[in-house]
Amino acid sequence: MMLRFRSHPKNVTPAAPSPAHDDRDATTGLCTEDDEVRGLSDLYSPEPTSQSQVRDVADILLELEKITDEQYGRLRRELMGRPGMDPGTWLLKEGLVGSDDVLHAKAKLSGLEFRHISPQEVDRRALEKLDLEFIQRSNIVPVAIEDDELLVATSEPANIFALEDVKRQTGMEVRVVICSPDDIMAVCDSLHEETVDCNLDDIISDMTEVEVVQDQEDDSEDLEKMAGQSPVIKFVNYLISNAVREGASDIHIEPKEKQTRIRYRIDGVLFDAMQAPLKMHPAIVSRIKIMANLDISERRLPQDGKVSAIVGSRAIDLRISTLPTNRGEKTVIRVLDSKSIARGLEHVGMEPDVCQAFAEQVALPHGILLVTGPTGSGKSTTLYSALCEMDGDKLNISTVEDPVEYELDFCNQVHVNDKVGLTFAAALRSLLRQDPDVIMIGEIRDNETARIAVQAALTGHLVLSTLHTNDAATSVTRLVNIGIDPYLIAASLNAAVAQRLVRKICPKCREIYQVPDNQRRYLERAGVNVKELVHGAGCDACRGSGYVGRVGIFEMIVIDDRFREIINQDSSVASMRRAFHESGRDTLFDDGIKKVAKGITTIEEVLRVTEVYGRSEDEVFVENLE
């Protein structure tokens, strides 16, 4: 269906007044005062059949039974105090509907069709009608050419000017359907892949023809020239773009005896990606250094840098780290995708009760909220997701990080620089004079940082930070070991969350399997039906691993009056773990077992991240209690 405009009717003659209402004064023939008021009222009052509320997305969602009458009423009350706010945006923010539900309602409201668009069903002849930059900017993608009409999909049907621009550029009649923004992004990514896709064998073949001098230590000029040559640039670009497509979090470039080994870390596990000629290793490292503004002549000391890049339609931040080894410089590129923190707390893997308790802690006006776990367990992502839930327009949100991993527009971020004296403690002292409401500290590492964080929490600020501990209960003991008095911890600490990341079962090769006997006891003790458990058999989509993606498992300790009393009396590890066990909350192992029962992950994964010397943390803890 085409979008069409219809003008208001013209030359409409008002109806003559009814004689029954002609109550003029019998002697003067003039209207009385009451008649004048009534006449004005009749003139401006709406017709009995007209609606005072314009039909919008909320009405459609109510008709589709996506929201209840109570939720509809609450929405209307909220919108009365927020004129101009989109009802769909409010419903999404409250988590009452999904994005597809809102788009479906918008499509029905506009009389259009809503459907999902995949890159495979897009006609290349249609795509050639518009360039990639315009598609990304306007969120309109050509899908097909049908009967001299151009079928386009958009996630913004109200953008009439963009649709008119499509008609002008193509010279064709345009038919519109509505799709999700993710569908448009997938098509753009596929287009970008085609523009950068190249034959890796051809690139490596071209690289081997480049003359490389490795024996001279001060050959920085040759290295810079060589790093700027087309084959090297293409190879590095291919490494990065391919890593983003594969969903890798890190790229390891390692010089070995006969070749350069390149590995991707995907879902927490390293995979061999490709190999490159060893003689090209200096040129590859130099190219990466040039991108990060590092010193290509310095090959004896470690260096760190940062690169911002556009891969497909996504903005990607790259963290570069070089380290001298006996065979050359090893380089690691960490890929930071801001898309991973924009999904919200409900998507990180928290169970509903934990998610609600965590959201309540984030909404508190003051105190300390800690997220604990080893390196690479997703602590920073959880804190960033919590910050994204806050109202940056009404709150002064500031962060102190080393380094700043994701750039957020709604808060002020400080990058720690020890070389010039800008430590965590120094930044925090200055930050407290900036009238902050919420402070996020990248990590509490020492006594001074912990002391300032406690003081900030006690003086009316909400402090979010990470800590390296094995579980939530030992966070208190860790702070005591750093040098914070127990009574200060009891007064300032609100909650602590421990987390790990487990791999999710691949949806394309999941199947029911026979659980090994050595794992059956864990599951039977938790009351899980072992006959219905699934795992990934291994396929091309998951590289034979049986897993795709990761999800978090969590345990949370909320510091109430009983915990505060225990902290003041005995803050040892055994005491805190006993108190946590008596609180009845799920441990990391318990939360993992719930996800095993739901078919999200496997018992092997849960044991892998919670196992201690061949036994789970849960078993060790129970033994300690006994």
Side-chain angles (χ1 to χ4, degrees), residues 402-457:
D402 183 21
V404 174
E405 293 191 10
Y406 301 99
E407 294 186 0
L408 305 175
D409 293 334
F410 58 86
C411 64
N412 308 292
Q413 297 173 277
V414 179
H415 183 178
V416 171
N417 188 349
D418 291 334
K419 295 180 180 179
V420 298
L422 184 61
T423 61
F424 273 106
L428 281 173
R429 280 194 297 267
S430 298
L431 199 59
L432 289 175
R433 294 191 286 270
Q434 295 280 320
D435 185 31
D437 295 303
V438 180
I439 302 172
M440 190 193 89
I441 305 173
E443 180 185 350
I444 295 180
R445 299 176 178 175
D446 50 38
N447 174 268
E448 190 174 10
T449 304
R451 182 172 51 81
I452 297 174
V454 169
Q455 291 175 353

Side-chain angles (χ1 to χ4, degrees), residues 66-220:
K66 297 297 183 180
I67 59 175
T68 63
D69 291 333
E70 180 184 354
Q71 293 169 343
Y72 180 84
R74 184 156 64 96
L75 165 65
R76 292 303 177 199
R77 289 191 296 271
E78 287 288 335
L79 294 184
M80 287 179 62
R82 303 181 183 182
M85 184 176 184
D86 178 49
T89 303
W90 187 88
L91 291 169
L92 285 172
K93 185 177 181 181
E94 293 295 316
L96 301 178
V97 295
S99 58
D100 282 0
D101 296 329
V102 174
L103 288 172
H104 187 201
K106 287 183 177 180
K108 190 172 182 180
L109 188 65
S110 304
L112 301 174
E113 177 189 356
F114 171 72
R115 70 185 193 188
H116 284 290
I117 304 295
S118 66
Q120 292 76 19
E121 65 181 291
V122 174
D123 188 349
R124 299 300 166 186
R125 294 184 302 117
L127 280 174
E128 293 174 357
K129 297 292 183 180
L130 297 174
D131 58 62
L132 178 59
E133 182 181 354
F134 178 82
I135 293 173
Q136 292 175 337
R137 186 176 69 251
S138 62
N139 282 325
I140 299 175
V141 57
V143 178
I145 299 176
E146 301 174 349
D147 300 329
D148 295 329
E149 277 189 339
L150 181 65
L151 176 65
V152 299
T154 179
S155 60
E156 301 175 2
N159 193 352
I160 304 298
F161 296 105
L163 293 170
E164 287 293 332
D165 200 11
V166 172
K167 185 176 180 180
R168 180 185 57 80
Q169 289 187 38
T170 60
M172 302 177 65
E173 291 296 325
V174 175
R175 186 163 66 91
V176 181
V177 297
I178 296 180
C179 68
S180 70
D182 291 339
D183 293 341
I184 297 178
M185 182 178 294
V187 174
C188 292
D189 287 344
S190 67
L191 282 174
H192 182 79
E193 288 171 13
E194 290 181 0
T195 59
V196 301
D197 196 14
C198 42
N199 192 313
L200 182 60
D201 293 333
D202 292 342
I203 295 177
I204 294 178
S205 177
D206 293 339
M207 289 172 59
T208 57
E209 298 175 2
V210 179
E211 291 293 332
V212 184
V213 180
Q214 301 185 65
D215 297 331
Q216 298 181 11
E217 193 68 26
D218 297 328
D219 194 24
S220 60

Side-chain angles (χ1 to χ4, degrees), residues 93 340-345 348 350 358-359 361-364 369 371 379-401 404-414 431 436-442 462-466:
K93 185 177 181 181
S340 62
I341 66 169
R343 298 182 301 169
L345 288 173
V348 300
M350 291 184 180
F358 188 83
Q361 294 299 320
V362 172
L364 292 177
L369 173 61
V371 180
K379 302 186 299 297
S380 297
T381 300
T382 299
L383 287 183
Y384 275 111
S385 299
L387 292 180
C388 291
E389 297 288 325
M390 299 179 180
D391 190 349
D393 294 332
K394 296 181 180 179
L395 297 174
N396 179 13
I397 306 173
S398 302
T399 72
V400 182
E401 306 169 68
V404 174
E405 293 191 10
Y406 301 99
E407 294 186 0
L408 305 175
D409 293 334
F410 58 86
C411 64
N412 308 292
Q413 297 173 277
V414 179
L431 199 59
D437 295 303
V438 180
I439 302 172
M440 190 193 89
I441 305 173
L462 180 63
V463 179
L464 283 65
S465 185
T466 66

Side-chain angles (χ1 to χ4, degrees), residues 307-325:
V307 178
S308 296
I310 302 293
V311 178
S313 57
R314 303 209 303 265
I316 303 295
D317 287 332
L318 306 174
R319 297 289 184 269
I320 312 298
S321 175
T322 65
L323 179 69
T325 67

Side-chain angles (χ1 to χ4, degrees), residues 25-91:
D25 188 275
T27 58
T28 63
L30 301 176
C31 294
T32 62
E33 182 179 355
D34 290 342
D35 293 332
E36 292 179 0
V37 173
R38 184 164 55 242
L40 291 174
S41 175
D42 291 341
L43 179 62
Y44 290 102
S45 63
E47 302 236 353
T49 57
S50 65
Q51 297 179 351
S52 58
Q53 171 62 46
V54 178
R55 184 175 169 85
D56 61 12
V57 169
D59 296 300
I60 302 293
L61 291 170
L62 182 63
E63 293 174 4
L64 296 174
E65 298 182 352
K66 297 297 183 180
I67 59 175
T68 63
D69 291 333
E70 180 184 354
Q71 293 169 343
Y72 180 84
R74 184 156 64 96
L75 165 65
R76 292 303 177 199
R77 289 191 296 271
E78 287 288 335
L79 294 184
M80 287 179 62
R82 303 181 183 182
M85 184 176 184
D86 178 49
T89 303
W90 187 88
L91 291 169

